[in-house]
């Protein structure tokens, strides 16, 4: 009877090969669903880190100081004082953190790709100008603060340092988390140290447009804030570091933002924040956690392709004149526009699309 029952089941399902095929299809379906959930979790944890980790860790540390475990918080604060200048001296990079599997799920959610166009010499130092900022600089983080897209394999011997607001390194725990990915403060002390006292083969990635550029990012728009951003060129000249234009196609597509017109109260508030705090608050939204048809904090899963252009050889001039700065800045702008025009159709833009330089 038992054999007859088993035979009946197989006859009902079909042949053995059909059963095996059905089980394989079911396995891959379940696997794809699990991977998609892991991708969503990986992106969500990064978004929450970007938005609230610094404040949350500060409040938790203050709370622990008021409990019986105050000694743990006191020890960390003592160590923090001792370690205060580490971010200005190249930080504390961790290859283990940069190679976490979570970053590969983060990469695949969009997906994010890194395109190499030219080799970089390990005997030189570099300043990468990253464009555009977008809302959160997702492409910059994934490509240069993790190994998910293979930056170490594509540019062997080059150590990338993504520069971000110095204020982030004043917040407990967050500062250590950032440093582990090779992130450094975007200030003169930090950049001077990396380009002059850390040997060669260093590449500092500066999101040139900064907060001002983030205020104008919106899907379908390719514009950069660059005309009056010349400080990074002066730094390159002082250290003889080659300039490399980098453009991320799709960076502006992953969030939708409310754009306030110049002269409006909303833009006034944003500019005040930008001037006094260093960042500009944006009103933006992505998709919901459980559905792409609802609003939420998750970015839309749109492809981001970051293209690293040809390096511009920069001479070392200890005290560059304004004429020198203007000359190499103009050369950089032209190089960025050429990079955009060369690759725009390859990544979904029409031939008529023009990069707007503000």
């Amino acid at each position: 009877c038992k054999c007859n029952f088993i035979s009946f089941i197989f006859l009902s399902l079909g042949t053995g090969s059909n059963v095996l095929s059905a089980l394989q299809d079911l396995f891959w379906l379940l696997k794809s669903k699990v991977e998609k959930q892991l991708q969503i979790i990986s992106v969500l944890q990064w978004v929450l880190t970007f938005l609230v980790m610094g404040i949350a860790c500060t409040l938790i540390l203050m709370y622990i100081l008021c409990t019986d475990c105050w000694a743990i918080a006191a020890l960390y604060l003592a160590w923090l004082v001792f370690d205060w200048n580490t971010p200005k001296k190249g930080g504390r990079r961790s290859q283990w953190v940069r190679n976490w599997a979570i970053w590969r799920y983060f990469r695949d959610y969009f997906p994010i790709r890194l395109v190499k166009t030219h080799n970089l010499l390990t005997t030189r130092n570099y300043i990468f100008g990253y464009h555009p900022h977008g809302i959160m600089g997702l492409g910059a983080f994934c490509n240069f603060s993790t190994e998910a897209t293979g930056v170490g394999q594509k540019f062997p011997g080059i150590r990338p340092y993504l520069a971000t607001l110095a204020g982030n390194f004043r917040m407990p725990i967050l500062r250590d988390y950032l440093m582990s990915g090779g992130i450094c403060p975007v200030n003169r002390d930090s950049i001077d140290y990396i380009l002059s006292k850390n040997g060669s083969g260093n590449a500092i990635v500066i999101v040139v447009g900064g907060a001002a550029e983030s205020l104008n990012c919106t899907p379908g728009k390719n514009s950069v804030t660059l005309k009056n951003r010349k400080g990074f060129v002066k730094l390159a000249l002082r250290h003889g570091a080659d300039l490399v234009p980098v453009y991320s196609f799709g960076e502006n597509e992953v969030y939708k933002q409310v754009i306030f017109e110049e002269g409006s109260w909303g833009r006034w508030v944003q500019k005040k924040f930008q001037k006094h705090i260093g960042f500009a608050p944006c009103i933006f939204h992505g998709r919901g956690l459980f559905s792409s048809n609802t609003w939420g904090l998750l970015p839309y899963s749109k492809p981001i392709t970051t293209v690293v252009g040809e390096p511009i050889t920069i001479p070392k001039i200890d005290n560059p004149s304004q004429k020198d700065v203007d000359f190499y800045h103009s050369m950089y702008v032209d190089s960025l526009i050429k990079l955009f025009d060369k690759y725009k159709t390859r990544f979904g833009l029409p031939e008529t699309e023009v990069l707007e330089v503000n």
Side-chain angles (χ1 to χ4, degrees):
C1 292
K2 188 181 294 184
C3 292
N4 289 337
F5 177 70
I6 294 173
S7 299
F8 172 75
I9 292 175
F10 274 89
L11 286 171
S12 300
L13 293 173
T15 63
S17 60
N18 288 339
V19 172
L20 182 60
S21 177
L23 290 174
Q24 287 176 336
D25 290 343
L26 179 62
F27 171 76
W28 287 113
L29 180 63
L30 291 173
K31 184 180 179 182
S32 65
K33 285 187 175 181
V34 170
E35 287 186 347
K36 187 61 180 177
Q37 294 304 314
L38 289 173
Q39 291 169 12
I40 289 173
I41 291 170
S42 69
V43 174
L44 179 63
Q45 67 83 27
W46 189 86
V47 170
L48 293 177
T49 296
F50 182 90
L51 295 175
V52 302
M53 183 177 179
I55 295 174
C57 289
T58 302
L59 293 175
I60 291 171
L61 195 66
M62 292 173 62
Y63 170 76
I64 293 175
L65 281 171
C66 300
T67 68
D68 293 339
C69 299
W70 63 269
I72 296 174
L75 284 172
Y76 176 80
L77 289 173
W79 178 81
L80 188 62
V81 172
F82 174 78
D83 194 58
W84 191 253
N85 289 323
T86 298
K88 299 178 183 178
K89 298 181 179 180
R92 192 166 39 247
R93 175 187 304 258
S94 168
Q95 285 301 116
W96 175 64
V97 173
R98 288 175 61 88
N99 282 287
W100 277 354
I102 195 171
W103 306 132
R104 295 193 290 275
Y105 289 113
F106 182 95
R107 171 200 66 196
D108 293 339
Y109 172 84
F110 296 93
I112 296 174
R113 292 176 55 214
L114 179 66
V115 176
K116 170 186 174 181
T117 63
H118 291 79
N119 292 324
L120 298 180
L121 299 175
T122 57
T123 55
R124 300 285 293 174
N125 283 324
Y126 301 90
I127 292 180
F128 285 16
Y130 184 91
H131 314 268
H133 183 285
I135 294 292
M136 296 185 184
L138 295 159
F141 171 79
C142 184
N143 285 306
F144 302 113
S145 295
T146 80
E147 293 296 329
T149 56
V151 64
Q153 288 74 41
K154 292 176 180 176
F155 298 102
I158 301 298
R159 293 180 298 276
Y161 293 86
L162 177 60
T164 189
L165 292 175
N168 289 325
F169 296 88
R170 301 187 187 102
M171 297 186 180
I173 310 300
L174 176 63
R175 66 188 293 276
D176 303 290
Y177 189 42
L178 295 177
M179 284 193 292
S180 67
I183 300 177
C184 68
V186 62
N187 58 31
R188 182 169 173 175
D189 289 343
S190 176
I191 294 173
D192 282 347
Y193 182 91
I194 293 171
L195 294 179
S196 63
K197 299 179 182 179
N198 201 40
S200 60
N202 302 293
I204 297 181
V205 183
I206 300 177
V207 186
V208 178
E213 191 171 83
S214 69
L215 297 179
N216 295 314
C217 71
T218 186
K221 185 175 183 180
N222 288 282
S223 66
V224 296
T225 301
L226 183 56
K227 279 184 179 178
N228 297 316
R229 299 295 175 105
K230 300 180 181 181
F232 73 106
V233 178
K234 190 172 184 179
L235 281 170
L237 286 164
R238 289 181 64 247
H239 294 284
D242 293 348
L243 288 171
V244 183
V246 180
Y247 196 85
S248 260
F249 294 90
E251 184 72 61
N252 285 345
E253 307 298 317
V254 296
Y255 279 110
K256 295 179 181 178
Q257 179 184 191
V258 176
I259 304 293
F260 293 102
E261 298 295 330
E262 290 292 339
S264 66
W265 68 269
R267 183 55 65 101
W268 179 83
V269 170
Q270 288 176 323
K271 287 187 173 181
K272 286 296 181 182
F273 265 84
Q274 178 190 338
K275 180 180 179 180
H276 297 292
I277 301 179
F279 74 93
C282 302
I283 300 177
F284 66 92
H285 74 84
R287 53 155 289 181
L289 182 59
F290 302 106
S291 171
S292 59
N293 297 320
T294 58
W295 289 10
L297 288 176
L298 278 178
Y300 294 104
S301 52
K302 304 287 186 179
I304 299 174
T305 305
T306 302
V307 184
V308 180
E310 182 178 5
I312 303 167
T313 303
I314 303 294
K316 188 177 187 302
I317 304 175
D318 291 334
N319 294 297
S321 66
Q322 190 59 48
K323 184 178 179 181
D324 294 325
V325 173
D326 290 343
F327 174 78
Y328 285 102
H329 180 268
S330 177
M331 188 181 294
Y332 177 86
V333 173
D334 290 342
S335 182
L336 177 65
I337 293 173
K338 288 177 182 177
L339 179 71
F340 177 85
D341 289 340
K342 182 177 180 180
Y343 288 93
K344 61 185 177 184
T345 56
R346 192 177 302 184
F347 302 119
L349 297 178
E351 184 64 43
T352 55
E353 185 71 20
V354 176
L355 179 62
E356 182 183 328
V357 180
N358 299 313

